[in-house]
Amino acid sequence: MQQKSIFIIESYEQLKVISDPLRTKMLIFLVEQPHTGQMLAQELNLSRAKILYHLRELEKHKIIQLVRKEERGGNILKFYQAVARGFIPADHLLNYVESKDATRQSYLEVIDRAKTRVLTAPDNSFELNSSNVEEWPKLSIQKEFKVSKEKFLEFTRKYRELLEKLEEKDTDIEKQNYYLMTTAFQIEEPLFKNK
C-alpha cells in the first residue's frame, strides 16, 4: 500500500474517531508501519479485544486499512496500516472542539514517540567528537520567537522546502538513517526570559 502524505478528514464521524486519545496513539504506530491487533496490544499494554474494537472503528471510517494477511500456526494475522502519514480536518470541520483536541493529542503523541526514539537510539548517536556544534551529526534545539504570523508562516514554508531537499535522491554511497521531529505552535508567554 502506498500511503498518502496527508489525508483530509471530511466527515464529523471521522473527526470523532481520530480525536480519541487511544486511537491517536494507535495511529502513531500505524503511520510508521503495519501492525496486527496483537502487536498493538503488546505495544500499548492493553487487551487485544480493546485494540480490535478500535481498529474496527478506524477501518470503518477509512483511517486505516488492511494491508496484508499472514497465516502462522493456523491463525490468520491481519496487518493494518494508516492510509496516510498525517491527518488534517477539512475547513468545514475546523471549528469543532474535536479538531483542536485531535491536533493537540497528535502533537503529544509525536513528542512521546520522539522520546521513545531517543531512548532506543544507539549510544553512538550521542557521542561528542568535537566542541563545535556545526560538526555534530545531531541536533536538539528549543527556541522561542516573537515574530509576525506572516514571518512565521514564511519560515515554515521554507523549512518544508528544506525537508523536501533533504529527501531528494542522494548518490552518496555511505548513508545513515536519521530521525527528525519538529513541533512549532503559538504560545502565550515565553519560558526563556531575555536577560
PDB file of all heavy atoms in Angstrom, residues 3-29:
ATOM      1  N   GLN A   3       1.089   4.880   1.097  1.00  0.00           N
ATOM      2  CA  GLN A   3       0.433   5.852   1.983  1.00  0.00           C
ATOM      3  C   GLN A   3       0.417   7.227   1.336  1.00  0.00           C
ATOM      4  O   GLN A   3       1.393   7.636   0.714  1.00  0.00           O
ATOM      5  CB  GLN A   3       1.188   5.972   3.311  1.00  0.00           C
ATOM      6  CG  GLN A   3       0.927   4.885   4.286  1.00  0.00           C
ATOM      7  CD  GLN A   3       1.709   5.134   5.568  1.00  0.00           C
ATOM      8  OE1 GLN A   3       2.902   5.396   5.534  1.00  0.00           O
ATOM      9  NE2 GLN A   3       1.042   5.043   6.693  1.00  0.00           N
ATOM     10  N   LYS A   4      -0.685   7.943   1.527  1.00  0.00           N
ATOM     11  CA  LYS A   4      -0.742   9.349   1.138  1.00  0.00           C
ATOM     12  C   LYS A   4       0.097  10.121   2.156  1.00  0.00           C
ATOM     13  O   LYS A   4       0.269   9.683   3.286  1.00  0.00           O
ATOM     14  CB  LYS A   4      -2.177   9.870   1.193  1.00  0.00           C
ATOM     15  CG  LYS A   4      -3.135   9.187   0.267  1.00  0.00           C
ATOM     16  CD  LYS A   4      -4.525   9.756   0.504  1.00  0.00           C
ATOM     17  CE  LYS A   4      -5.570   9.023  -0.293  1.00  0.00           C
ATOM     18  NZ  LYS A   4      -6.926   9.503  -0.005  1.00  0.00           N
ATOM     19  N   SER A   5       0.577  11.289   1.778  1.00  0.00           N
ATOM     20  CA  SER A   5       1.276  12.090   2.780  1.00  0.00           C
ATOM     21  C   SER A   5       0.259  12.728   3.723  1.00  0.00           C
ATOM     22  O   SER A   5       0.473  12.771   4.923  1.00  0.00           O
ATOM     23  CB  SER A   5       2.194  13.126   2.152  1.00  0.00           C
ATOM     24  OG  SER A   5       1.541  13.854   1.159  1.00  0.00           O
ATOM     25  N   ILE A   6      -0.869  13.213   3.190  1.00  0.00           N
ATOM     26  CA  ILE A   6      -1.906  13.826   4.018  1.00  0.00           C
ATOM     27  C   ILE A   6      -3.268  13.290   3.613  1.00  0.00           C
ATOM     28  O   ILE A   6      -3.569  13.147   2.430  1.00  0.00           O
ATOM     29  CB  ILE A   6      -1.905  15.370   3.853  1.00  0.00           C
ATOM     30  CG1 ILE A   6      -0.592  15.981   4.328  1.00  0.00           C
ATOM     31  CG2 ILE A   6      -3.092  16.011   4.578  1.00  0.00           C
ATOM     32  CD1 ILE A   6      -0.329  15.872   5.817  1.00  0.00           C
ATOM     33  N   PHE A   7      -4.091  13.000   4.604  1.00  0.00           N
ATOM     34  CA  PHE A   7      -5.479  12.584   4.395  1.00  0.00           C
ATOM     35  C   PHE A   7      -6.357  13.690   4.967  1.00  0.00           C
ATOM     36  O   PHE A   7      -6.208  14.063   6.127  1.00  0.00           O
ATOM     37  CB  PHE A   7      -5.738  11.261   5.119  1.00  0.00           C
ATOM     38  CG  PHE A   7      -7.148  10.757   5.010  1.00  0.00           C
ATOM     39  CD1 PHE A   7      -7.529   9.949   3.951  1.00  0.00           C
ATOM     40  CD2 PHE A   7      -8.091  11.079   5.976  1.00  0.00           C
ATOM     41  CE1 PHE A   7      -8.827   9.468   3.859  1.00  0.00           C
ATOM     42  CE2 PHE A   7      -9.390  10.609   5.888  1.00  0.00           C
ATOM     43  CZ  PHE A   7      -9.760   9.807   4.831  1.00  0.00           C
ATOM     44  N   ILE A   8      -7.253  14.225   4.155  1.00  0.00           N
ATOM     45  CA  ILE A   8      -8.169  15.272   4.611  1.00  0.00           C
ATOM     46  C   ILE A   8      -9.414  14.600   5.179  1.00  0.00           C
ATOM     47  O   ILE A   8     -10.102  13.856   4.489  1.00  0.00           O
ATOM     48  CB  ILE A   8      -8.562  16.231   3.467  1.00  0.00           C
ATOM     49  CG1 ILE A   8      -7.317  16.862   2.830  1.00  0.00           C
ATOM     50  CG2 ILE A   8      -9.531  17.303   3.974  1.00  0.00           C
ATOM     51  CD1 ILE A   8      -6.513  17.749   3.744  1.00  0.00           C
ATOM     52  N   ILE A   9      -9.670  14.860   6.448  1.00  0.00           N
ATOM     53  CA  ILE A   9     -10.840  14.314   7.125  1.00  0.00           C
ATOM     54  C   ILE A   9     -12.053  15.132   6.696  1.00  0.00           C
ATOM     55  O   ILE A   9     -12.099  16.337   6.927  1.00  0.00           O
ATOM     56  CB  ILE A   9     -10.654  14.366   8.649  1.00  0.00           C
ATOM     57  CG1 ILE A   9      -9.455  13.506   9.037  1.00  0.00           C
ATOM     58  CG2 ILE A   9     -11.912  13.925   9.377  1.00  0.00           C
ATOM     59  CD1 ILE A   9      -8.917  13.802  10.397  1.00  0.00           C
ATOM     60  N   GLU A  10     -13.022  14.470   6.074  1.00  0.00           N
ATOM     61  CA  GLU A  10     -14.163  15.181   5.503  1.00  0.00           C
ATOM     62  C   GLU A  10     -15.427  15.111   6.358  1.00  0.00           C
ATOM     63  O   GLU A  10     -16.297  15.951   6.235  1.00  0.00           O
ATOM     64  CB  GLU A  10     -14.477  14.645   4.098  1.00  0.00           C
ATOM     65  CG  GLU A  10     -13.404  14.926   3.078  1.00  0.00           C
ATOM     66  CD  GLU A  10     -13.285  16.399   2.699  1.00  0.00           C
ATOM     67  OE1 GLU A  10     -14.199  17.196   2.996  1.00  0.00           O
ATOM     68  OE2 GLU A  10     -12.245  16.760   2.111  1.00  0.00           O
ATOM     69  N   SER A  11     -15.540  14.100   7.221  1.00  0.00           N
ATOM     70  CA  SER A  11     -16.784  13.955   7.978  1.00  0.00           C
ATOM     71  C   SER A  11     -16.549  14.137   9.475  1.00  0.00           C
ATOM     72  O   SER A  11     -15.464  13.854   9.995  1.00  0.00           O
ATOM     73  CB  SER A  11     -17.408  12.576   7.723  1.00  0.00           C
ATOM     74  OG  SER A  11     -16.678  11.569   8.391  1.00  0.00           O
ATOM     75  N   TYR A  12     -17.587  14.588  10.138  1.00  0.00           N
ATOM     76  CA  TYR A  12     -17.536  14.757  11.592  1.00  0.00           C
ATOM     77  C   TYR A  12     -17.292  13.414  12.278  1.00  0.00           C
ATOM     78  O   TYR A  12     -16.577  13.341  13.274  1.00  0.00           O
ATOM     79  CB  TYR A  12     -18.829  15.407  12.097  1.00  0.00           C
ATOM     80  CG  TYR A  12     -18.863  15.585  13.591  1.00  0.00           C
ATOM     81  CD1 TYR A  12     -18.030  16.520  14.216  1.00  0.00           C
ATOM     82  CD2 TYR A  12     -19.700  14.810  14.392  1.00  0.00           C
ATOM     83  CE1 TYR A  12     -18.036  16.677  15.589  1.00  0.00           C
ATOM     84  CE2 TYR A  12     -19.713  14.965  15.767  1.00  0.00           C
ATOM     85  CZ  TYR A  12     -18.883  15.893  16.360  1.00  0.00           C
ATOM     86  OH  TYR A  12     -18.881  16.043  17.720  1.00  0.00           O
ATOM     87  N   GLU A  13     -17.863  12.334  11.724  1.00  0.00           N
ATOM     88  CA  GLU A  13     -17.678  10.997  12.301  1.00  0.00           C
ATOM     89  C   GLU A  13     -16.202  10.593  12.258  1.00  0.00           C
ATOM     90  O   GLU A  13     -15.677  10.041  13.221  1.00  0.00           O
ATOM     91  CB  GLU A  13     -18.542   9.959  11.565  1.00  0.00           C
ATOM     92  CG  GLU A  13     -20.030  10.109  11.811  1.00  0.00           C
ATOM     93  CD  GLU A  13     -20.663  11.302  11.074  1.00  0.00           C
ATOM     94  OE1 GLU A  13     -20.097  11.737  10.033  1.00  0.00           O
ATOM     95  OE2 GLU A  13     -21.683  11.819  11.560  1.00  0.00           O
ATOM     96  N   GLN A  14     -15.526  10.869  11.140  1.00  0.00           N
ATOM     97  CA  GLN A  14     -14.091  10.582  11.053  1.00  0.00           C
ATOM     98  C   GLN A  14     -13.317  11.406  12.082  1.00  0.00           C
ATOM     99  O   GLN A  14     -12.401  10.910  12.726  1.00  0.00           O
ATOM    100  CB  GLN A  14     -13.554  10.908   9.655  1.00  0.00           C
ATOM    101  CG  GLN A  14     -13.916   9.913   8.585  1.00  0.00           C
ATOM    102  CD  GLN A  14     -13.386  10.347   7.230  1.00  0.00           C
ATOM    103  OE1 GLN A  14     -13.459  11.522   6.867  1.00  0.00           O
ATOM    104  NE2 GLN A  14     -12.861   9.397   6.484  1.00  0.00           N
ATOM    105  N   LEU A  15     -13.706  12.664  12.221  1.00  0.00           N
ATOM    106  CA  LEU A  15     -13.044  13.544  13.186  1.00  0.00           C
ATOM    107  C   LEU A  15     -13.196  13.013  14.603  1.00  0.00           C
ATOM    108  O   LEU A  15     -12.230  12.983  15.374  1.00  0.00           O
ATOM    109  CB  LEU A  15     -13.622  14.959  13.074  1.00  0.00           C
ATOM    110  CG  LEU A  15     -13.006  16.017  13.982  1.00  0.00           C
ATOM    111  CD1 LEU A  15     -11.523  16.189  13.708  1.00  0.00           C
ATOM    112  CD2 LEU A  15     -13.749  17.339  13.795  1.00  0.00           C
ATOM    113  N   LYS A  16     -14.412  12.568  14.955  1.00  0.00           N
ATOM    114  CA  LYS A  16     -14.639  11.994  16.286  1.00  0.00           C
ATOM    115  C   LYS A  16     -13.777  10.748  16.494  1.00  0.00           C
ATOM    116  O   LYS A  16     -13.221  10.539  17.569  1.00  0.00           O
ATOM    117  CB  LYS A  16     -16.121  11.654  16.468  1.00  0.00           C
ATOM    118  CG  LYS A  16     -16.965  12.849  16.843  1.00  0.00           C
ATOM    119  CD  LYS A  16     -18.436  12.550  16.990  1.00  0.00           C
ATOM    120  CE  LYS A  16     -18.768  11.306  17.755  1.00  0.00           C
ATOM    121  NZ  LYS A  16     -20.208  11.076  17.917  1.00  0.00           N
ATOM    122  N   VAL A  17     -13.667   9.931  15.466  1.00  0.00           N
ATOM    123  CA  VAL A  17     -12.908   8.680  15.569  1.00  0.00           C
ATOM    124  C   VAL A  17     -11.437   8.961  15.874  1.00  0.00           C
ATOM    125  O   VAL A  17     -10.845   8.317  16.737  1.00  0.00           O
ATOM    126  CB  VAL A  17     -13.061   7.836  14.280  1.00  0.00           C
ATOM    127  CG1 VAL A  17     -12.009   6.754  14.198  1.00  0.00           C
ATOM    128  CG2 VAL A  17     -14.444   7.220  14.228  1.00  0.00           C
ATOM    129  N   ILE A  18     -10.840   9.938  15.194  1.00  0.00           N
ATOM    130  CA  ILE A  18      -9.404  10.163  15.428  1.00  0.00           C
ATOM    131  C   ILE A  18      -9.127  11.076  16.609  1.00  0.00           C
ATOM    132  O   ILE A  18      -7.982  11.207  17.025  1.00  0.00           O
ATOM    133  CB  ILE A  18      -8.673  10.703  14.180  1.00  0.00           C
ATOM    134  CG1 ILE A  18      -9.113  12.114  13.854  1.00  0.00           C
ATOM    135  CG2 ILE A  18      -8.793   9.771  13.019  1.00  0.00           C
ATOM    136  CD1 ILE A  18      -8.089  12.849  13.040  1.00  0.00           C
ATOM    137  N   SER A  19     -10.158  11.705  17.183  1.00  0.00           N
ATOM    138  CA  SER A  19      -9.912  12.582  18.331  1.00  0.00           C
ATOM    139  C   SER A  19      -9.798  11.796  19.638  1.00  0.00           C
ATOM    140  O   SER A  19      -9.404  12.344  20.657  1.00  0.00           O
ATOM    141  CB  SER A  19     -10.991  13.662  18.447  1.00  0.00           C
ATOM    142  OG  SER A  19     -12.238  13.091  18.727  1.00  0.00           O
ATOM    143  N   ASP A  20     -10.084  10.512  19.602  1.00  0.00           N
ATOM    144  CA  ASP A  20      -9.931   9.654  20.778  1.00  0.00           C
ATOM    145  C   ASP A  20      -8.435   9.467  21.065  1.00  0.00           C
ATOM    146  O   ASP A  20      -7.683   9.070  20.162  1.00  0.00           O
ATOM    147  CB  ASP A  20     -10.590   8.299  20.510  1.00  0.00           C
ATOM    148  CG  ASP A  20     -10.413   7.343  21.656  1.00  0.00           C
ATOM    149  OD1 ASP A  20     -11.252   7.351  22.558  1.00  0.00           O
ATOM    150  OD2 ASP A  20      -9.409   6.587  21.647  1.00  0.00           O
ATOM    151  N   PRO A  21      -7.967   9.751  22.288  1.00  0.00           N
ATOM    152  CA  PRO A  21      -6.524   9.653  22.591  1.00  0.00           C
ATOM    153  C   PRO A  21      -5.910   8.276  22.329  1.00  0.00           C
ATOM    154  O   PRO A  21      -4.781   8.196  21.836  1.00  0.00           O
ATOM    155  CB  PRO A  21      -6.448  10.007  24.083  1.00  0.00           C
ATOM    156  CG  PRO A  21      -7.659  10.841  24.336  1.00  0.00           C
ATOM    157  CD  PRO A  21      -8.720  10.298  23.416  1.00  0.00           C
ATOM    158  N   LEU A  22      -6.638   7.197  22.619  1.00  0.00           N
ATOM    159  CA  LEU A  22      -6.086   5.865  22.366  1.00  0.00           C
ATOM    160  C   LEU A  22      -5.929   5.624  20.869  1.00  0.00           C
ATOM    161  O   LEU A  22      -4.917   5.092  20.422  1.00  0.00           O
ATOM    162  CB  LEU A  22      -6.969   4.775  22.987  1.00  0.00           C
ATOM    163  CG  LEU A  22      -6.551   3.342  22.675  1.00  0.00           C
ATOM    164  CD1 LEU A  22      -5.102   3.076  23.090  1.00  0.00           C
ATOM    165  CD2 LEU A  22      -7.495   2.354  23.328  1.00  0.00           C
ATOM    166  N   ARG A  23      -6.905   6.042  20.087  1.00  0.00           N
ATOM    167  CA  ARG A  23      -6.804   5.853  18.638  1.00  0.00           C
ATOM    168  C   ARG A  23      -5.669   6.692  18.056  1.00  0.00           C
ATOM    169  O   ARG A  23      -4.989   6.250  17.132  1.00  0.00           O
ATOM    170  CB  ARG A  23      -8.141   6.188  17.974  1.00  0.00           C
ATOM    171  CG  ARG A  23      -9.213   5.187  18.343  1.00  0.00           C
ATOM    172  CD  ARG A  23     -10.528   5.501  17.691  1.00  0.00           C
ATOM    173  NE  ARG A  23     -11.559   4.654  18.274  1.00  0.00           N
ATOM    174  CZ  ARG A  23     -12.806   5.033  18.465  1.00  0.00           C
ATOM    175  NH1 ARG A  23     -13.202   6.248  18.105  1.00  0.00           N
ATOM    176  NH2 ARG A  23     -13.677   4.211  18.994  1.00  0.00           N
ATOM    177  N   THR A  24      -5.467   7.879  18.608  1.00  0.00           N
ATOM    178  CA  THR A  24      -4.343   8.704  18.151  1.00  0.00           C
ATOM    179  C   THR A  24      -3.034   7.989  18.442  1.00  0.00           C
ATOM    180  O   THR A  24      -2.131   7.944  17.610  1.00  0.00           O
ATOM    181  CB  THR A  24      -4.358  10.080  18.848  1.00  0.00           C
ATOM    182  OG1 THR A  24      -5.614  10.706  18.620  1.00  0.00           O
ATOM    183  CG2 THR A  24      -3.256  10.977  18.322  1.00  0.00           C
ATOM    184  N   LYS A  25      -2.927   7.405  19.622  1.00  0.00           N
ATOM    185  CA  LYS A  25      -1.724   6.647  19.998  1.00  0.00           C
ATOM    186  C   LYS A  25      -1.522   5.456  19.046  1.00  0.00           C
ATOM    187  O   LYS A  25      -0.408   5.198  18.589  1.00  0.00           O
ATOM    188  CB  LYS A  25      -1.871   6.169  21.443  1.00  0.00           C
ATOM    189  CG  LYS A  25      -0.604   5.669  22.082  1.00  0.00           C
ATOM    190  CD  LYS A  25      -0.825   5.297  23.533  1.00  0.00           C
ATOM    191  CE  LYS A  25      -1.044   6.440  24.452  1.00  0.00           C
ATOM    192  NZ  LYS A  25       0.124   7.237  24.788  1.00  0.00           N
ATOM    193  N   MET A  26      -2.604   4.756  18.740  1.00  0.00           N
ATOM    194  CA  MET A  26      -2.527   3.627  17.805  1.00  0.00           C
ATOM    195  C   MET A  26      -2.085   4.103  16.420  1.00  0.00           C
ATOM    196  O   MET A  26      -1.273   3.448  15.764  1.00  0.00           O
ATOM    197  CB  MET A  26      -3.886   2.918  17.716  1.00  0.00           C
ATOM    198  CG  MET A  26      -4.274   2.179  18.981  1.00  0.00           C
ATOM    199  SD  MET A  26      -5.996   1.622  18.992  1.00  0.00           S
ATOM    200  CE  MET A  26      -6.051   0.538  17.564  1.00  0.00           C
ATOM    201  N   LEU A  27      -2.614   5.236  15.994  1.00  0.00           N
ATOM    202  CA  LEU A  27      -2.282   5.759  14.668  1.00  0.00           C
ATOM    203  C   LEU A  27      -0.799   6.068  14.528  1.00  0.00           C
ATOM    204  O   LEU A  27      -0.232   5.901  13.442  1.00  0.00           O
ATOM    205  CB  LEU A  27      -3.102   7.013  14.364  1.00  0.00           C
ATOM    206  CG  LEU A  27      -4.422   6.789  13.651  1.00  0.00           C
ATOM    207  CD1 LEU A  27      -5.175   8.099  13.490  1.00  0.00           C
ATOM    208  CD2 LEU A  27      -4.237   6.105  12.320  1.00  0.00           C
ATOM    209  N   ILE A  28      -0.167   6.518  15.595  1.00  0.00           N
ATOM    210  CA  ILE A  28       1.270   6.803  15.531  1.00  0.00           C
ATOM    211  C   ILE A  28       2.021   5.548  15.081  1.00  0.00           C
ATOM    212  O   ILE A  28       2.887   5.606  14.207  1.00  0.00           O
ATOM    213  CB  ILE A  28       1.798   7.307  16.897  1.00  0.00           C
ATOM    214  CG1 ILE A  28       1.229   8.681  17.219  1.00  0.00           C
ATOM    215  CG2 ILE A  28       3.322   7.328  16.931  1.00  0.00           C
ATOM    216  CD1 ILE A  28       1.658   9.801  16.295  1.00  0.00           C
ATOM    217  N   PHE A  29       1.685   4.407  15.643  1.00  0.00           N
ATOM    218  CA  PHE A  29       2.321   3.147  15.256  1.00  0.00           C
ATOM    219  C   PHE A  29       1.930   2.750  13.835  1.00  0.00           C
ATOM    220  O   PHE A  29       2.761   2.287  13.057  1.00  0.00           O
ATOM    221  CB  PHE A  29       1.952   2.030  16.234  1.00  0.00           C
ATOM    222  CG  PHE A  29       2.592   2.169  17.577  1.00  0.00           C
ATOM    223  CD1 PHE A  29       1.899   2.726  18.642  1.00  0.00           C
ATOM    224  CD2 PHE A  29       3.899   1.760  17.794  1.00  0.00           C
ATOM    225  CE1 PHE A  29       2.486   2.869  19.889  1.00  0.00           C
ATOM    226  CE2 PHE A  29       4.506   1.896  19.031  1.00  0.00           C
ATOM    227  CZ  PHE A  29       3.798   2.459  20.080  1.00  0.00           C
TER     228      PHE A  29
END
